[in-house]
Amino acid sequence: MTPAGPPSTTPPPARAVLLNPGPVNVDPRVREVLGYPDVCHREAEVSALLDAVRDKATRICGGDDQYTCVALTGSGTSALEAALTSAVPPGGRVLVLDNGHYGQRLAQIVDVYGIPCQRLRFDWTTPIDLAALDRALAADPGISHVAMVHHETSTGMLNPVRAAGEIVARHGRDLVVDAISSVGAEDLDVVRDRVGWCVGTANKALEGLPGVSFVVARRDAFEALAELRPRSFSLDLHRQYLAQHHDRAPAFTPAVQILYAFDRALDLALAEGVAARRARYASLAQQLRVGLADRGFTFLLSEKHRSNSITTVGLLPGLRYDELHDRLKRAGFVIYAGQGELATRYFRLANMGQLSSADITSFLQNLSASALNPNITESNS
Ligand SMILES: *Cc1c(COP(=O)(O)O)cnc(C)c1O
């Protein structure tokens, strides 16, 4: 064996507590899977792996026997792009419910493909107006699809998928849901909520590693895509569905090792249960929010709109985000910037992944040192 030279990149620091909304701190049993022997993606064991991941991802979304899943290699945005560009027929039109950065992104994606789109826009701190959705659909039979974000990660607002699903179904239209930061830890059920296309990813509340994402829908909806001309080659859900469901083989080379890790993460998620994970996240979020409020921090959203995994927090006067970030990073905590126009006034804290109550306690202590009395951290570091 030729000796490897000195590494040209340095590894990340020893366990940082990740308070960004994915990639998250994972269970050691998920990471351990990366040490499996090398494998060919066209072998029987990978067919079985793909079957297992698709089945478990379907179940975590509440899908029954009529539902199935297509797993994709790529981040959550690839799966969103696959769902939106595959599901909307020629002559279809998308109504996007937009109250944040990721709502905006749904419109940007369809726009790139020239798919007609209109937006129902709300301020980033405003919940989606369901009566406005109802009126928009009643007024315009040309809208074939409604697209919305379940958990708007730019603010931490939880949007009402269940109520929207009821309205969309009543009007006989199809619903595409970006559940990328909610699936696994918020209440979501594709059957009950009448979600036509549910998009998720491995590395947020499902606590897997980044690189694979998925779309859950009814089997007959995937089958019906055969009638449509694809807009994309590799993100064509029908092509991917035929390969995975009928041939039990990936259409292209998938991130096999990450799929193994996702399979393990899904086992852990199913064993814990979505309701229990939701309660675990809610308790960490509560601890964090109480501690922040005690220290004089304010929040972007009122309590009733907040999810269980993102808190958007006001920056204190006189301390810029990058300074706060760097001080906390030196202490072993990674925080996340506010998005878009919020960036100069707010930062975000996610509590997804394998975090403990002790991590939050320690974060709050370090936050006091970094934000409220900067000299203490400076002299300690
Ligand atoms: C993270 C996120 C995305 C983008 O996912 P990537 O994996 O970064 O492509 C899209 N929508 C929501 C709601 C998200 O939280």
Side-chain angles (χ1 to χ4, degrees):
M1 255 204 320
T2 45
S8 59
T9 53
T10 46
R15 185 179 188 268
V17 172
L18 298 181
L19 300 169
N20 52 294
V24 298
N25 291 110
V26 299
D27 189 292
R29 288 170 287 181
V30 170
R31 201 177 313 102
E32 182 183 281
V33 163
L34 295 179
Y36 280 7
D38 301 337
V39 65
C40 166
H41 67 295
R42 299 260 172 239
E43 292 299 313
E45 55 272 25
V46 175
S47 291
L49 167 67
L50 200 52
D51 286 349
V53 164
R54 294 175 53 231
D55 174 58
K56 292 167 194 175
T58 304
R59 282 194 277 136
I60 209 96
C61 296
D64 59 24
D65 289 352
Q66 300 189 357
Y67 285 73
T68 190
C69 168
V70 163
L72 296 166
T73 288
S75 80
T77 307
S78 324
L80 272 181
E81 196 156 336
L84 290 164
T85 59
S86 299
V88 183
R93 181 145 38 87
V94 183
L95 177 68
V96 171
L97 308 181
D98 169 4
N99 64 343
H101 176 82
Y102 291 102
Q104 238 165 38
R105 181 176 289 182
L106 296 174
Q108 287 168 336
I109 291 171
V110 294
D111 203 48
V112 163
Y113 289 85
I115 299 169
C117 167
Q118 69 200 60
R119 281 201 250 178
L120 211 48
R121 288 181 74 168
F122 306 96
D123 183 84
W124 283 24
T125 55
T126 305
I128 284 165
D129 178 352
L130 293 164
L133 167 64
D134 197 9
R135 283 194 302 274
L137 294 178
D140 190 348
I143 295 166
S144 58
H145 290 70
V146 173
M148 71 183 291
V149 177
H150 185 200
H151 175 209
E152 188 41 89
T153 318
S154 55
T155 57
M157 181 158 334
L158 207 54
N159 286 325
V161 167
R162 186 177 185 172
E166 200 273 314
I167 294 167
V168 173
R170 180 152 44 76
H171 287 279
R173 319 297 167 84
D174 203 0
L175 180 63
V176 181
V177 173
D178 169 352
I180 289 172
S181 66
S182 57
V183 62
E186 297 288 356
D187 184 29
L188 177 74
D189 182 314
V190 287
V191 180
R192 181 198 67 195
D193 302 345
R194 320 231 212 150
V195 178
W197 305 90
C198 181
V199 178
T201 201
N203 62 278
K204 292 193 182 184
L206 289 174
E207 303 189 357
L209 293 169
V212 296
S213 51
F214 61 89
V215 181
V216 168
R218 289 175 60 95
R219 254 198 333 265
D220 56 13
F222 282 115
E223 296 282 349
L225 298 179
E227 309 297 319
L228 308 182
R229 183 186 156 80
R231 292 183 175 90
S232 162
F233 189 82
S234 66
L235 295 178
D236 173 9
L237 276 185
H238 189 249
R239 173 189 301 279
Q240 294 274 2
Y241 166 78
L242 286 182
Q244 295 182 19
H245 198 77
H246 291 282
D247 302 340
R248 296 187 60 233
F252 313 106
T253 312
V256 196
Q257 287 76 6
I258 303 299
L259 272 177
Y260 273 110
F262 189 31
D263 184 51
R264 181 67 67 88
L266 284 164
D267 283 339
L268 297 174
L270 287 163
E272 183 176 5
V274 174
R277 181 163 293 184
R278 185 165 169 236
R280 171 162 67 84
Y281 283 14
S283 150
L284 293 172
Q286 177 67 9
Q287 184 192 350
L288 187 61
R289 289 163 190 174
V290 168
L292 288 163
D294 283 350
R295 286 163 178 79
F297 286 92
T298 58
F299 305 106
L300 176 72
L301 298 181
S302 64
E303 199 171 341
K304 63 178 184 292
H305 298 138
R306 291 180 211 151
S307 72
N308 293 308
S309 63
I310 295 270
T311 306
T312 301
V313 189
L315 285 163
L316 297 178
L319 183 59
R320 290 195 3 247
Y321 171 74
D322 349 349
E323 279 178 66
L324 181 63
H325 169 274
D326 293 355
R327 283 177 194 167
L328 286 164
K329 178 94 184 273
R330 285 195 289 273
F333 299 90
V334 175
I335 62 170
Y336 213 52
Q339 213 146 18
E341 289 175 11
L342 299 179
T344 55
R345 289 174 295 133
Y346 291 91
F347 65 103
R348 284 176 292 167
L349 298 172
N351 55 277
M352 298 172 186
Q354 289 292 307
L355 301 176
S356 65
S357 170
D359 289 328
I360 302 294
T361 303
S362 164
F363 169 73
L364 289 165
Q365 284 161 355
N366 278 278
L367 180 68
S368 298
S370 300
L372 307 175
N373 190 358
N375 296 329
I376 294 178
T377 349
E378 295 304 340
S379 56
N380 280 355
S381 61

